[in-house]
C-alpha cells in the first residue's frame, strides 16, 4: 500500500500508526508518480517549466528567482549530505523566523530525503527537547541569531549529533552558508517515494507529550493542487504575504508550498506585525494574504488612515473565528470577500472554506474538493442539520500521528474527528461553534492552558493555578491565570510581573498570562479536580 521508499533511516515509516487506525484517504484526482520529491517539484521542476527568471522569494530587501532558489537549495543539499552526513529518512530540525534562508533550508533538506521538523523561533530549550526526543532528531539547522536555546537543547540530547548555523539575514555568513558556497548548483535529489514522510508537524495538545503529525511528499502537493488551485486559483502573477510562522503547516502552505507550486512569489517577514504587513502589501502589491482576524482589523483601521491595500484579491482568514463584523467591514471597504476557512495540523491545511463566488458571514463554508465532512454526536452518528456536534472530515490528507496512542481518538471509523464543535445548516454550509477542549486561541496562536499552568507552578511562590481563555476584542482570547500563592507571598503588581516574566522564560513568551487573578482557593470537584468551567462563567 505504501509503495517504494528511499529512506535508509526507516524511523518514520516504522512509527506510522497501524493501518487499521488510518483515516480513509480519498485520492481520486490526486495522482502522482510512485517516486517524487516535493523539494524538486517546487524548485528545479519549476525552472524546467520555464519559471526560472520569475521571482520566487522576496525577503531581506531582495528578490530571488526560481533559478536562484533551485541553485541555492542544491548547494545546501550537497552540504547537508557531504559535510553533515544527512541520510535519507534522518529527521532534521530547522529553527528560524520566516525568512528566505529558512525556506531554502527546508527545501534542501527535503531534496536530501530528510524528514523536516520546522520549529518556531520563540521555543525554549525545554520545548525543543520534547520535539527532539519524540522525533529522534539527529541534525539541527539553526539561524545563528537563535543558537543559545538550540545549543542548550543539544548539549543534553542523546539524539542530536550535529547543530549547524545558517545566516537568516542577507549576509549569508555562517557555517552552513560557507559549506554551501563552493558546491555545485546541480544536485541529484533523493528519489523519495510519494508516500515517504517528508514533514513532521508538531501540534500542541492540552495534555501530555506533543503530538507529531506525519505528512508525505504527496500531501505537500495535494494541499496546493486542491485548496490553492480550487479556492485561491493561484496564478504566476500572484504575490503572497502573511503572518503565520513557517513552522505551522498553515504558514508553510500559504507562504511556501502554494506560491512555489504555481510560479508565484512569496514575501517573507520575520516580524509580520500588521504595520509591517501593510507596508509590504503596498510595496510589492501583494495579492494573497494569510493571517488571522486580529490583523485584518488592523488593516481595516489602516485603510481608514489612507493605506492602499487594493492589490489584495484574496484575504484568507484562519486560526481563529472570523467575526461577522470584520467580514462585513472588509466586504464594504474592498468589495471582495474574506475567505474564512478551517484546517488542522493533522490534515496539513485548510479543508473547509468559503469561495470567491460562494461566501457568507459567520460561516466557514463548504468542503474543499476531495474532502467530505459531517457533524456527529457522541455515538459517532451524524446529527440532524442545525444541531451542534463534532466535526468529522475525510479526504486526500488525514491524521497519522508518530507513535501515539491518541491516533485512535482522532480517527474514528475512517473519519478525522478534529476536536471542533460545528453546525451544518439546511443548505449544507458549516458553521464553527467552539473548540472541544481547553485550547486558548489568541491572535491565531494555539495555547494549551495546562502548559502555562505547568510553567506557573514551577515558580516558588505559586501553590495552585488554573488557566483559562478570557474573551478579548483585539486578540479573540487572552490567557488568564487564576493563582493561589504560597504562604508568605504577597499579591501585588510586582508579583504579577514576576510571574509573567517567569512564564516567558520557561516557555514561548506569547503564551504568558496577560491577566493574573489572585485568589484564596480554586473551585474543585469532590475528587479534587479543578473546575475551570466555573472560572469561565464570569466571562459568559
Amino acid at each position: 500500500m505504501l509503495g517504494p521508499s528511499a529512506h535508509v533511516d526507516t524511523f518514520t515509516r516504522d512509527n506510522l500508526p497501524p493501518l487499521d487506525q488510518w483515516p480513509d484517504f480519498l485520492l481520486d484526482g490526486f495522482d502522482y508518480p510512485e517516486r517524487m520529491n516535493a523539494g524538486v517539484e517546487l524548485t528545479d521542476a519549476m525552472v524546467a517549466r520555464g519559471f526560472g527568471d520569475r521571482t520566487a522569494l522576496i525577503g531581506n530587501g531582495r528578490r530571488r528567482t526560481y533559478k536562484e532558489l533551485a541553485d541555492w537549495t542544491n548547494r545546501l543539499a550537497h552540504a547537508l549530505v557531504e559535510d553533515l552526513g544527512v541520510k535519507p529518512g534522518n529527521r532534521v530540525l530547522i529553527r528560524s523566523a520566516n525568512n528566505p534562508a529558512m525556506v531554502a533550508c527546508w527545501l534542501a533538506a527535503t531534496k536530501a530525503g530528510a524528514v523536516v521538523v520546522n520549529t518556531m523561533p520563540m521555543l525554549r530549550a525545554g520545548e525543543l527537547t520534547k520535539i527532539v526526543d519524540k522525533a529522534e532528531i539527529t541534525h539541527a539547522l539553526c539561524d545563528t541569531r537563535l543558537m543559545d536555546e538550540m545549543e542548550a537543547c543539544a548539549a543534553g540530547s542523546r539524539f542530536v549529533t550535529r547543530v549547524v548555523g545558517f545566516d537568516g539575514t542577507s549576509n549569508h555568513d555562517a557555517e552552513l552558508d560557507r559549506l554551501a558556497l563552493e558546491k555545485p548548483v546541480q544536485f541529484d535529489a533523493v528519489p523519495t517515494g510519494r508516500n515517504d514522510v517528508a514533514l513532521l508537524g508538531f501540534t500542541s495538545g492540552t495534555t501530555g507529550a506533543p503530538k507529531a503529525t506525519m505528512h508525505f511528499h504527496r500531501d505537500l502537493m495535494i494541499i496546493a493542487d486542491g485548496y490553492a488551485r480550487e479556492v485561491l486559483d493561484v496564478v504566476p502573477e500572484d504575490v503572497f504575504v502573511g503572518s503565520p510562522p513557517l513552522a505551522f503547516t498553515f504558514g508553510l502552505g500559504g507562504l511556501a508550498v502554494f506560491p512555489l507550486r504555481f510560479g508565484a512569489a512569496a514575501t517573507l517577514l520575520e516580524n509580520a506585525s500588521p504595520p509591517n504587513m501593510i507596508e509590504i502589501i503596498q510595496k510589492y502589491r501583494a495579492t494573497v494574504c494569510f493571517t488571522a482576524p486580529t490583523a485584518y482589523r488592523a488593516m481595516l483601521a489602516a485603510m481608514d488612515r489612507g493605506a492602499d491595500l487594493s492589490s489584495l484579491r484574496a484575504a484568507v482568514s484562519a486560526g481563529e473565528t472570523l467575526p461577522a463584523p470584520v467580514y462585513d467591514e472588509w466586504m464594504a471597504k474592498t468589495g471582495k470577500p474574506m475567505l474564512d476557512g478551517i484546517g488542522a495540523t493533522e490534515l496539513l491545511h485548510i479543508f473547509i472554506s468559503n469561495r470567491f463566488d460562494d461566501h457568507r458571514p459567520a460561516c466557514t463554508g463548504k468542503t474543499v474538493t476531495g474532502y467530505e465532512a459531517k457533524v456527529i454526536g457522541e455515538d459517532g452518528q451524524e446529527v440532524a442539520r442545525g444541531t451542534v456536534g463534532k466535526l468529522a472530515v475525510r479526504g486526500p490528507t488525514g491524521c497519522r500521528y508518530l507513535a501515539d496512542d491518541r491516533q485512535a481518538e482522532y480517527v474514528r471509523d475512517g473519519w478525522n474527528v478534529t476536536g471542533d464543535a460545528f453546525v451544518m445548516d439546511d443548505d449544507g454550509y458549516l458553521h464553527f461553534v467552539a473548540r472541544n477542549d481547553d485550547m486558548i486561541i489568541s491572535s491565531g496562536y494555539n495555547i494549551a492552558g495546562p502548559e502555562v499552568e505547568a510553567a506557573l507552578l514551577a515558580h516558588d511562590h505559586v501553590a495552585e493555578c488554573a488557566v483559562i481563555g478570557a474573551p478579548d476584542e483585539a486578540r479573540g482570547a487572552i490567557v488568564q491565570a487564576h493563582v493561589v500563592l504560597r504562604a508568605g507571598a504577597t499579591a501585588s503588581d510586582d508579583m504579577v510581573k514576576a510571574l509573567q516574566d517567569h512564564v516567558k522564560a520557561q516557555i514561548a513568551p506569547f503564551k504568558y498570562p496577560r491577566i493574573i487573578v489572585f485568589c484564596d482557593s480554586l473551585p474543585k470537584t469532590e475528587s479534587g479536580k479543578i473546575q475551570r468551567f466555573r472560572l469561565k462563567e464570569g466571562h459568559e
Side-chain angles (χ1 to χ4, degrees):
M1 178 180 176
L2 282 169
S5 172
H7 286 180
V8 177
D9 178 344
T10 60
F11 173 83
T12 50
R13 187 164 281 199
D14 294 342
N15 284 284
L16 284 163
L19 281 175
D20 61 0
Q21 292 183 17
W22 285 33
D24 296 336
F25 284 97
L26 312 179
L27 292 167
D28 282 355
F30 297 99
D31 301 312
Y32 304 101
E34 278 201 328
R35 300 266 183 185
M36 66 177 298
N37 186 300
V40 173
E41 294 299 321
L42 300 175
T43 55
D44 305 77
M46 298 305 294
V47 174
R49 288 172 54 194
F51 290 95
D53 292 334
R54 295 195 70 94
T55 299
L57 300 178
I58 300 169
N60 290 331
R62 64 172 286 188
R63 294 171 180 262
R64 286 174 175 81
T65 65
Y66 277 85
K67 179 67 167 70
E68 288 175 310
L69 181 60
D71 292 353
W72 185 13
T73 54
N74 286 337
R75 286 194 183 102
L76 287 169
H78 275 290
L80 294 178
V81 173
E82 295 160 15
D83 298 291
L84 303 179
V86 172
K87 300 280 193 295
N90 285 166
R91 275 74 59 216
V92 174
L93 181 148
I94 301 177
R95 174 173 168 80
S96 176
N98 287 11
N99 55 51
M102 183 183 187
V103 173
C105 285
W106 164 62
L107 290 165
T110 303
K111 287 181 174 183
V115 178
V116 180
V117 182
N118 292 313
T119 62
M120 283 198 299
M122 289 181 279
L123 297 184
R124 303 300 193 199
E127 294 163 306
L128 291 167
T129 296
K130 290 178 182 176
I131 290 170
V132 165
D133 289 351
K134 178 78 176 181
E136 299 190 7
I137 288 165
T138 54
H139 295 72
L141 312 180
C142 182
D143 189 318
T144 48
R145 296 168 291 174
L146 301 166
M147 270 294 196
D148 289 353
E149 297 286 340
M150 190 69 246
E151 288 179 336
C153 163
S157 176
R158 62 193 179 95
F159 295 113
V160 177
T161 58
R162 189 72 191 268
V163 176
V164 62
F166 65 87
D167 190 342
T169 74
S170 57
N171 297 328
H172 298 302
D173 186 25
E175 183 182 0
L176 183 60
D177 307 288
R178 290 190 289 271
L179 288 173
L181 206 54
E182 294 187 24
K183 300 295 185 186
V185 296
Q186 300 297 324
F187 177 75
D188 291 330
V190 171
T192 43
R194 63 187 172 199
N195 296 336
D196 271 333
V197 177
L199 181 77
L200 295 180
F202 274 79
T203 177
S204 175
T206 54
T207 55
K211 292 174 285 192
T213 62
M214 310 173 80
H215 302 292
F216 296 165
H217 284 261
R218 79 175 188 212
D219 298 330
L220 293 167
M221 299 299 101
I222 284 170
I223 60 171
D225 296 343
Y227 169 80
R229 187 189 302 275
E230 182 215 350
V231 176
L232 299 180
D233 191 21
V234 183
V235 294
E237 290 71 32
D238 277 320
V239 177
F240 284 65
V241 68
S243 63
L246 291 163
F248 293 173
T249 57
F250 179 49
L252 188 70
L255 297 175
V257 178
F258 297 169
L260 296 179
R261 181 64 167 164
F262 298 103
T267 59
L268 297 164
L269 283 166
E270 293 197 349
N271 177 10
S273 64
N276 287 353
M277 283 214 295
I278 290 162
E279 180 186 341
I280 288 292
I281 290 166
Q282 294 184 126
K283 180 175 181 179
Y284 294 108
R285 304 296 293 163
T287 59
V288 181
C289 182
F290 281 83
T291 192
T294 312
Y296 286 122
R297 286 195 189 103
M299 289 184 195
L300 287 164
M303 284 187 225
D304 290 336
R305 298 190 297 270
D308 177 12
L309 306 184
S310 60
S311 61
L312 285 182
R313 67 173 188 83
V316 179
S317 174
E320 64 186 24
T321 311
L322 174 64
V326 177
Y327 168 97
D328 290 337
E329 191 177 349
W330 189 267
M331 278 288 291
K333 280 194 168 76
T334 69
K336 301 163 191 169
M338 193 170 282
L339 298 180
D340 194 11
I342 187 169
T345 309
E346 286 83 357
L347 284 90
L348 194 54
H349 218 273
I350 291 172
F351 47 79
I352 296 170
S353 179
N354 281 282
R355 308 319 203 255
F356 290 119
D357 58 356
D358 187 8
H359 49 88
R360 301 179 179 192
C363 174
T364 316
K366 292 186 174 180
T367 52
V368 173
T369 295
Y371 292 89
E372 299 174 355
K374 62 181 181 179
V375 179
I376 61 174
E378 291 296 331
D379 60 358
Q381 298 301 306
E382 194 164 0
V383 299
R385 298 279 175 104
T387 305
V388 176
K390 296 179 178 179
L391 180 67
V393 186
R394 63 183 183 182
T397 63
C399 178
R400 293 172 296 248
Y401 286 138
L402 170 70
D404 203 307
D405 292 340
R406 290 168 290 189
Q407 177 76 16
E409 297 171 22
Y410 200 94
V411 177
R412 300 178 206 169
D413 299 321
W415 292 78
N416 302 276
V417 182
T418 66
D420 300 288
F422 264 79
V423 168
M424 184 181 288
D425 65 24
D426 290 338
D427 297 324
Y429 292 87
L430 288 148
H431 302 259
F432 176 78
V433 177
R435 284 290 298 172
N436 290 336
D437 53 25
D438 288 329
M439 293 300 287
I440 300 162
I441 303 178
S442 181
S443 295
Y445 287 101
N446 286 347
I447 302 168
E451 186 182 26
V452 184
E453 292 171 4
L456 282 166
L457 289 167
H459 194 282
D460 291 341
H461 293 320
V462 176
E464 289 186 313
C465 66
V467 166
I468 62 170
D472 180 79
E473 188 170 340
R475 294 181 172 86
I478 54 175
V479 177
Q480 182 185 84
H482 295 250
V483 174
V484 178
L485 292 172
R486 292 188 186 279
T490 305
S492 65
D493 289 345
D494 286 345
M495 181 62 74
V496 168
K497 186 175 189 310
L499 294 179
Q500 289 174 329
D501 289 346
H502 171 78
V503 171
K504 290 178 186 177
Q506 291 276 314
I507 56 179
F510 72 87
K511 301 174 184 176
Y512 85 96
R514 292 175 183 272
I515 300 174
I516 292 181
V517 179
F518 294 108
C519 46
D520 294 328
S521 63
L522 297 172
K524 296 173 183 169
T525 64
E526 288 182 10
S527 63
K529 186 176 181 182
I530 296 171
Q531 295 174 308
R532 288 174 183 79
F533 69 90
R534 288 180 52 189
L535 299 174
K536 295 177 182 177
E537 285 169 357
H539 299 296
E540 293 171 357

